[in-house]
Amino acid sequence: MLNFVYDNKTTLIFGKGTQHEAGALLKPFGKKVLLHYGGGSIKRSGLYGAVTASLKAAGVEYEELGGVQPNPTLPLVYEGIRLCREHSLGLVLAVGGGSVIDSAKAIALGVPHEGDVWNLYLSKQQPQADPLPVATVLTIPAAGSESSPNTVITNEETRRKLGYGSPKLRPVFSIINPELFFTLPHHQMANGVSDMMSHIFERYFTRTLHTDLSDGLCEATLRTIMRNARILNGNPHDYDAWAEIAFSGNIAHNNLLGVGREQDWGCHAMEHELSALYNVDHGAGLAVVTPAWMKYVSPKHQEMFAQFAVNVMGVEGSFREPEALIREGISRLERFYRELGLPTSMEELNIRSGDFPLMAEQAISVRGPIGGLEKLDARDVQAIYRLACEGPLPD
Ligand code: NZQ
Ligand code: ZN
């Protein structure tokens, strides 16, 4: 196990009716906030009315900025920064999913920053000034941004989708009421499940030895996600299944499962290029890239992938024939994605192979070769994109 420091300042307020506590929870952070949200789902569901009523009851004043789109972009971030400065707002309250929360974090980062906030995403430098605090009311369990230190923003002009991380960006609190997920379209549930599973894969597949506890926590969380996603597949109003998924999605990316081990993050880097060029949903892109990555790197890491097949995917067989275990493990993962209606080939996302060289170059352009388990250069990334064209393994 590697040395680690684990610090997670996000308070979780979890359960039924918790959205009504937003105003009271915000009061200690000052009187004026920016209420940030997406394309309208919170108005249709009544959540907007509940949150604004709770702000008013607690005497918290707010300016509002809606319109965050999935794969959030820079112009709205600049608008949010302007509003916060003009009205001296002291906190950004994100009511939405990963896109709204990431946009809120970018605004929070940009308000005290001299110069263009996008430069931080390019340079990865830590912020000189403390960002505004961010708080969230989560409406989709998926990205884990409700307690992660990360934000991912798309610059449409340069067609780049880049992440940025700072411990100072972890929200001060996040409200998670699983009842709020009942209104999610089925494909967004599936996208969320794919994303949170990937957050665990990026940590689970490692070269680091003596990681028994975190291996076991990763495996239990993956099994919990798959079991409950299957329940939601049949009954999208099952509160308990949503509660399990939401708790798992949070654990998947608050980095408790990643401490003490080298992490990978190759699939996320490869997927971000799909989202940047084709605006595909992040979870859908991951369902296409992940099995292809597994097929490409597993021959060199058979123990890790055989362990995955047995402990996560429930494959039975002999460790003397790891190839058979691994093949069945990957095949079961692909079948699970298909059960949820997720895509499993590039063709289903309408991605042109002619773009693979550009996407591969961009994937490695920020930090050089990607991936912790196996270092991937541009040639490897192109090979994985090509494997992802072939679709699932035959049964
Ligand atoms: O915009 P509205 O109208 O609210 O609709 C949203 C959006 O269209 C809808 N939705 C959300 N909650 C709903 C709902 N519809 C009905 N009922 C509800 N309760 O769902 C759509 C998708 O929302 P979005 O926020 O984009 O989803 P998600 O949470 O999957 O976030 C994806 C973004 O997070 C980034 C991804 O790259 C992507 O840009 N990520 C952020 C991470 C982080 N900050 O730590 C880590 C992740 O790896 C990921 O990269
Ligand atoms: Zn993700």
Side-chain angles (χ1 to χ4, degrees), residues 189-205:
M189 179 278 282
N191 287 341
V193 163
S194 164
D195 191 18
M196 61 182 75
M197 287 178 73
S198 174
H199 294 159
I200 303 174
F201 293 150
E202 302 282 20
R203 296 174 163 97
Y204 178 67
F205 291 103

Side-chain angles (χ1 to χ4, degrees), residues 37-42 44-45 67-72 95-102 105 138-146 148-154 161 180-185 188 191-192 195 199 253 265 268 271-272 275 281-283 286:
Y37 54 90
S41 74
I42 67 161
R44 291 191 294 278
S45 68
V68 180
Q69 63 188 67
N71 298 324
V95 183
S99 296
V100 175
I101 301 171
D102 285 2
K105 288 175 178 174
L138 186 69
T139 64
I140 167 172
S145 189
E146 72 276 8
S148 83
N150 309 109
T151 151
V152 187
I153 296 291
T154 297
K161 180 175 182 177
L180 300 178
F181 311 144
F182 292 0
T183 53
L184 276 168
Q188 293 296 359
N191 287 341
D195 191 18
H199 294 159
H253 201 38
W265 296 101
H268 267 68
E271 193 294 312
H272 282 170
S275 293
D281 290 341
H282 176 58
L286 286 167

Side-chain angles (χ1 to χ4, degrees), residues 41-107:
S41 74
I42 67 161
K43 292 202 169 159
R44 291 191 294 278
S45 68
L47 178 59
Y48 173 87
V51 170
T52 51
S54 129
L55 297 183
K56 283 173 194 156
V60 176
E61 292 171 36
Y62 60 91
E63 296 291 322
E64 62 177 76
L65 179 63
V68 180
Q69 63 188 67
N71 298 324
T73 56
L74 270 178
L76 205 67
V77 170
Y78 295 142
E79 175 63 10
I81 293 170
R82 191 191 64 71
L83 274 174
C84 287
R85 287 178 179 161
E86 187 179 316
H87 298 278
S88 304
L89 308 179
L91 177 147
V92 188
L93 174 63
V95 183
S99 296
V100 175
I101 301 171
D102 285 2
S103 182
K105 288 175 178 174
I107 293 169

Side-chain angles (χ1 to χ4, degrees), residues 10 46 51 91 113 209 227 281 300 354 371 373 393:
T10 308
V51 170
L91 177 147
H113 180 70
L209 299 175
R227 186 166 59 246
D281 290 341
K300 287 193 186 160
L373 185 68
L393 292 163

Side-chain angles (χ1 to χ4, degrees), residues 49-322:
V51 170
T52 51
S54 129
L55 297 183
K56 283 173 194 156
V60 176
E61 292 171 36
Y62 60 91
E63 296 291 322
E64 62 177 76
L65 179 63
V68 180
Q69 63 188 67
N71 298 324
T73 56
L74 270 178
L76 205 67
V77 170
Y78 295 142
E79 175 63 10
I81 293 170
R82 191 191 64 71
L83 274 174
C84 287
R85 287 178 179 161
E86 187 179 316
H87 298 278
S88 304
L89 308 179
L91 177 147
V92 188
L93 174 63
V95 183
S99 296
V100 175
I101 301 171
D102 285 2
S103 182
K105 288 175 178 174
I107 293 169
L109 198 55
V111 171
H113 180 70
E114 285 177 23
D116 187 348
V117 69
W118 180 248
N119 288 334
L120 290 175
Y121 288 76
L122 291 168
S123 70
K124 312 292 181 201
Q125 280 172 355
Q126 285 301 297
Q128 309 248 301
D130 283 355
L132 294 186
V134 171
T136 88
V137 180
L138 186 69
T139 64
I140 167 172
S145 189
E146 72 276 8
S147 60
S148 83
N150 309 109
T151 151
V152 187
I153 296 291
T154 297
N155 181 333
E156 285 182 314
E157 275 179 20
T158 58
R159 297 173 91 195
R160 300 304 315 272
K161 180 175 182 177
L162 296 178
Y164 176 80
S166 165
K168 293 177 176 173
L169 285 178
R170 283 200 202 254
V172 286
F173 70 78
S174 284
I175 291 175
I176 305 176
N177 174 0
E179 289 172 317
L180 300 178
F181 311 144
F182 292 0
T183 53
L184 276 168
H186 179 273
H187 75 281
Q188 293 296 359
M189 179 278 282
N191 287 341
V193 163
S194 164
D195 191 18
M196 61 182 75
M197 287 178 73
S198 174
H199 294 159
I200 303 174
F201 293 150
E202 302 282 20
R203 296 174 163 97
Y204 178 67
F205 291 103
T206 184
R207 286 172 179 267
T208 311
L209 299 175
H210 304 295
T211 52
D212 290 1
L213 176 63
S214 49
D215 280 8
L217 292 172
C218 287
E219 289 161 357
T221 314
L222 285 164
R223 290 193 304 267
T224 303
I225 293 168
M226 287 191 289
R227 186 166 59 246
N228 287 283
R230 286 187 165 117
I231 296 171
L232 292 176
N233 223 7
N235 179 8
H237 290 177
D238 188 311
Y239 176 87
D240 294 314
W242 274 122
E244 297 286 354
I245 291 279
F247 189 20
S248 301
N250 185 269
I251 294 273
H253 201 38
N254 71 13
N255 205 33
L256 185 64
L257 304 184
V259 296
R261 47 202 297 144
E262 190 183 0
Q263 303 186 13
D264 193 87
W265 296 101
C267 287
H268 267 68
M270 288 186 280
E271 193 294 312
H272 282 170
E273 297 312 319
L274 274 57
S275 293
L277 262 71
Y278 288 88
N279 202 22
V280 306
D281 290 341
H282 176 58
L286 286 167
V288 170
V289 169
T290 302
W293 171 81
M294 289 182 168
K295 290 168 197 167
Y296 192 75
V297 302
S298 58
K300 287 193 186 160
H301 303 277
Q302 290 193 334
E303 296 88 350
M304 194 75 247
F305 281 89
Q307 181 182 327
F308 163 71
V310 172
N311 290 356
V312 179
M313 304 311 295
V315 181
E316 289 179 5
S318 165
F319 281 98
R320 291 187 188 179
E321 294 176 86

